[in-house]
Amino acid sequence: MQTVKLKIQRSEPSSGKKVSYDEFEVPVEEGMVVLDAVHYVENNLDPSLAVRWNCKAARCGSCAAELNGMPKLMCKTRVDTLGDHITIEPMKAFPVVKDLVTDVSHNYEVAKKIPPFTPKPEMKSPFLINQIDITRSKEFRTCIECFLCQDVCHVIREHHSDYFGPKHVVKIASLDLHPADCIDRSELLYHEGGLGFCDITKCCQAVCPEDIRITDNAIIPEKERIVDHVYDPIGRLIRVVKGRKW
Amino acid sequence: MMSSKKEGRFSVPELLEFNWRMWSFVLLLLLAGAVLFLNPVNPYHGYVDPFYSPTVFVIPIVALFRVTCYAYRKDYYRHVFKHPLACRADIRGEKDNRAYSGERTLFALNNFHRYFLYAGILILPFFYWDFYKSLIWQTGYFDLRLGSLLLLFNAILLTLWTVSCHAFRHLTGGRTDCYSCKAAPQFRKKFYLGQSFLNKFHENLAFISLVVVIGVDIYIRALMAGMPLDFTFIKVLL
Ligand code: SF4
Ligand code: SF4
Ligand code: FES
């Protein structure tokens, strides 16, 4: 029977267990995904292995991990796409709870800083929405909050800056581009959000399992909004003449 | 003021890192600049070299349009500065002890991209004009040659690259939050959708147009050196 060798990172900071790697050999079945292989280990070889998952259908975003160094969903990645040696590590940008489980709660703290949807005061009902407006903000609503993009972003992963991160820019763009919303959150991104740290290198876009064009459709448009207000002399002039703060 | 949370740790300033990629890139740019300025191409048999159209002084403007373009920015941040080189953990070339300021210090200047875009748009018609002139370079004749087609091809690619620009996309449609609010959004909507479609290929267009413009320049230089690379498709007396 064909098998695959898994090399899984183990650790548990709360009980002082340092990082080590365990190897397991797992029989391969037709169409098997990495999460299946990890479940095989958990059920048959080492029940102490910690892994977080929920839907096994690329919907909940719980099973994010690094497979051979690339952030991916374990439930959406077929074993046969990775060769016969697979290294499975937790997301490096977040603190490990145990083995493959990371603590992503920082993201929820950042999310609280984003002003929620605020309808324009002059809104009439019913509000007829044009398809183009739906298409634009719907792309961002497919985000499953897997945080793979946050994990791969070098600004967060290596430089530990206060940059909100691509996932949150996606959220902000979904609100800013909403036809009935009246807040411009690019100001928040410029000051507190640290969008200037992003150098549009598109790793976030490359790993997004929902194929959201994060950099092209969310980050660059928000950067351009900041240019309107901060860098473009004509935009600044308009701001001064109209007496606007942002 | 936001900062990187790495206080107390020494890092070599970004531009002073030992980085052979950056210095070879700088050298390459200087050499290319010197070659273009010291060996200008005069119109030859009705062909105007795209680097010198309408004048040699557009070179710095066009260069800055390229340098500040989002597509090239991505590429040099990755391949010249390795921030990061690639996305995969083992080959990303990014380390947490390296200094990094992103587009907040020197590279914040890239935010002036739209002004070079405006200049680029002003220059575009000249390429079509050069194509037209190359057709009628001999008085009384209409002369369609390979070189003319290359000039046209180059003009079209430069147009596609310019039109697919992210700043152009923002200025012409992206900044509108509410298409549902406009009385007659039909044209703007179509334009924005078409432009967004092109925008998906912006990186490819950036590189193809760069290679083609350099190719056309070399082609015209080769013709001047007497290489028999041109031929006529149609030549008629007007
Ligand atoms: S494009 Fe920006 S947000 Fe995305 S990974 Fe690169 S630096 Fe991070
Ligand atoms: S934007 Fe994509 S990669 Fe980022 S959290 Fe959402 S689904 Fe995951
Ligand atoms: S288990 Fe839900 S996304 Fe993988």
Coordinates of all heavy atoms in Angstrom, one line a residue, chain A residues 10-38:
Chain A
R10 N 5.6 19.4 17.0 CA 4.9 19.3 18.3 C 5.4 20.3 19.3 O 6.7 20.5 19.3 CB 5.1 17.8 18.9 CG 4.9 16.7 17.9 CD 3.4 16.6 17.6 NE 2.6 16.3 18.7 CZ 2.2 15.1 19.1 NH1 2.7 14.0 18.5 NH2 1.4 14.9 20.1
S11 N 4.6 20.8 20.1 CA 5.0 21.7 21.2 C 3.8 22.0 22.1 O 2.7 21.9 21.6 CB 5.7 23.0 20.7 OG 4.7 23.8 20.1
E12 N 4.1 22.4 23.3 CA 3.0 22.9 24.2 C 3.6 23.9 25.2 O 4.1 23.5 26.3 CB 2.4 21.7 24.9 CG 1.1 22.2 25.6 CD 0.3 21.1 26.3 OE1 0.8 19.9 26.2 OE2 -0.8 21.4 26.8
P13 N 3.7 25.2 24.8 CA 4.3 26.2 25.7 C 3.8 26.2 27.1 O 4.6 26.3 28.0 CB 4.0 27.5 24.9 CG 3.7 27.1 23.5 CD 3.1 25.7 23.6
S14 N 2.5 26.0 27.3 CA 2.0 26.1 28.7 C 2.6 25.0 29.6 O 2.7 25.3 30.8 CB 0.5 26.0 28.7 OG 0.1 24.7 28.2
S15 N 2.9 23.9 29.1 CA 3.5 22.9 30.0 C 5.0 22.8 29.7 O 5.7 21.8 30.1 CB 2.9 21.5 29.8 OG 3.1 21.1 28.5
G16 N 5.6 23.8 29.0 CA 7.0 23.8 28.9 C 7.6 22.9 27.8 O 8.8 22.6 27.7
K17 N 6.7 22.3 27.0 CA 7.2 21.3 26.0 C 7.7 22.1 24.8 O 7.0 22.8 24.1 CB 6.0 20.4 25.6 CG 6.5 19.3 24.7 CD 5.4 18.2 24.5 CE 5.7 17.1 23.5 NZ 5.5 17.6 22.2
K18 N 9.0 21.9 24.5 CA 9.7 22.7 23.5 C 9.3 22.1 22.1 O 8.8 21.0 22.0 CB 11.2 22.6 23.7 CG 11.7 23.4 24.9 CD 12.4 24.6 24.5 CE 12.5 25.7 25.5 NZ 12.8 25.3 26.9
V19 N 9.7 22.9 21.1 CA 9.4 22.4 19.7 C 10.2 21.2 19.3 O 11.4 21.1 19.5 CB 9.7 23.6 18.7 CG1 9.6 23.1 17.3 CG2 8.8 24.7 18.9
S20 N 9.5 20.2 18.8 CA 10.2 19.0 18.3 C 9.3 18.5 17.1 O 8.2 19.0 16.9 CB 10.2 17.9 19.3 OG 8.9 17.5 19.7
Y21 N 9.9 17.5 16.4 CA 9.1 17.0 15.2 C 8.9 15.5 15.4 O 9.9 14.8 15.7 CB 9.9 17.3 13.9 CG 9.8 18.8 13.5 CD1 10.7 19.7 14.0 CD2 8.8 19.2 12.6 CE1 10.7 21.0 13.7 CE2 8.8 20.5 12.3 CZ 9.7 21.5 12.8 OH 9.6 22.8 12.4
D22 N 7.7 15.0 15.1 CA 7.4 13.6 15.1 C 7.1 13.2 13.7 O 6.5 13.9 13.0 CB 6.2 13.3 16.0 CG 6.6 13.4 17.5 OD1 7.8 13.5 17.8 OD2 5.7 13.4 18.3
E23 N 7.6 12.0 13.4 CA 7.3 11.4 12.1 C 6.3 10.3 12.1 O 6.4 9.5 13.0 CB 8.6 11.0 11.4 CG 9.6 12.2 11.2 CD 10.6 12.0 10.1 OE1 10.3 11.1 9.2 OE2 11.6 12.7 10.1
F24 N 5.5 10.3 11.2 CA 4.5 9.2 11.1 C 4.3 8.7 9.7 O 4.5 9.5 8.8 CB 3.1 9.7 11.6 CG 3.1 10.3 12.9 CD1 3.2 11.7 13.1 CD2 3.0 9.5 14.1 CE1 3.2 12.3 14.4 CE2 3.0 10.1 15.3 CZ 3.1 11.5 15.5
E25 N 4.0 7.5 9.5 CA 3.8 7.0 8.2 C 2.3 6.6 8.1 O 1.8 5.9 8.9 CB 4.6 5.7 7.9 CG 4.7 5.4 6.5 CD 5.9 4.5 6.1 OE1 6.8 4.5 6.9 OE2 5.9 3.9 5.1
V26 N 1.7 7.2 7.1 CA 0.2 7.1 7.0 C -0.2 6.5 5.6 O 0.4 6.9 4.6 CB -0.4 8.5 7.1 CG1 -1.9 8.4 6.9 CG2 -0.1 9.0 8.5
P27 N -1.1 5.5 5.6 CA -1.5 4.9 4.3 C -2.3 5.9 3.5 O -3.1 6.6 4.1 CB -2.4 3.7 4.7 CG -2.7 3.9 6.1 CD -1.7 4.7 6.7
V28 N -2.0 6.0 2.2 CA -2.7 7.0 1.4 C -3.9 6.4 0.7 O -3.9 5.3 0.2 CB -1.7 7.5 0.3 CG1 -2.4 8.5 -0.6 CG2 -0.5 8.1 0.9
E29 N -5.0 7.1 0.8 CA -6.2 6.7 0.0 C -6.5 7.7 -1.1 O -6.1 8.8 -1.0 CB -7.4 6.6 1.0 CG -7.5 5.4 1.8 CD -8.5 5.5 2.9 OE1 -9.6 6.1 2.7 OE2 -8.2 5.0 4.0
E30 N -7.2 7.2 -2.0 CA -7.6 8.0 -3.2 C -8.3 9.3 -2.7 O -9.2 9.3 -1.9 CB -8.6 7.2 -4.1 CG -9.2 7.9 -5.2 CD -8.3 8.0 -6.4 OE1 -7.6 7.1 -6.6 OE2 -8.4 9.1 -7.1
G31 N -7.8 10.5 -3.2 CA -8.5 11.7 -2.9 C -8.3 12.2 -1.5 O -9.0 13.2 -1.0
M32 N -7.3 11.6 -0.8 CA -7.1 12.0 0.6 C -6.6 13.4 0.8 O -5.7 13.8 0.0 CB -6.1 11.0 1.2 CG -5.9 11.1 2.6 SD -4.6 9.8 3.0 CE -5.0 9.5 4.7
V33 N -7.1 14.2 1.7 CA -6.5 15.5 2.0 C -5.6 15.4 3.3 O -5.7 14.4 4.0 CB -7.6 16.6 2.2 CG1 -8.4 16.8 0.9 CG2 -8.6 16.2 3.3
V34 N -4.8 16.5 3.5 CA -3.9 16.4 4.6 C -4.6 16.2 5.9 O -4.1 15.5 6.8 CB -3.0 17.7 4.5 CG1 -2.1 17.7 5.7 CG2 -2.2 17.8 3.2
L35 N -5.7 16.9 6.0 CA -6.5 16.7 7.3 C -6.8 15.3 7.6 O -6.8 14.8 8.7 CB -7.7 17.6 7.3 CG -8.5 17.7 8.6 CD1 -7.6 18.3 9.7 CD2 -9.7 18.6 8.5
D36 N -7.2 14.5 6.5 CA -7.4 13.1 6.7 C -6.2 12.4 7.2 O -6.3 11.5 8.1 CB -7.8 12.4 5.3 CG -9.1 12.9 4.7 OD1 -10.0 13.2 5.5 OD2 -9.2 13.1 3.5
A37 N -5.1 12.7 6.7 CA -3.8 12.1 7.2 C -3.6 12.4 8.6 O -3.2 11.5 9.4 CB -2.7 12.5 6.3
V38 N -3.8 13.7 9.0 CA -3.6 14.1 10.4 C -4.6 13.4 11.3 O -4.2 12.9 12.4 CB -3.7 15.6 10.5 CG1 -3.7 16.0 12.0 CG2 -2.6 16.3 9.7

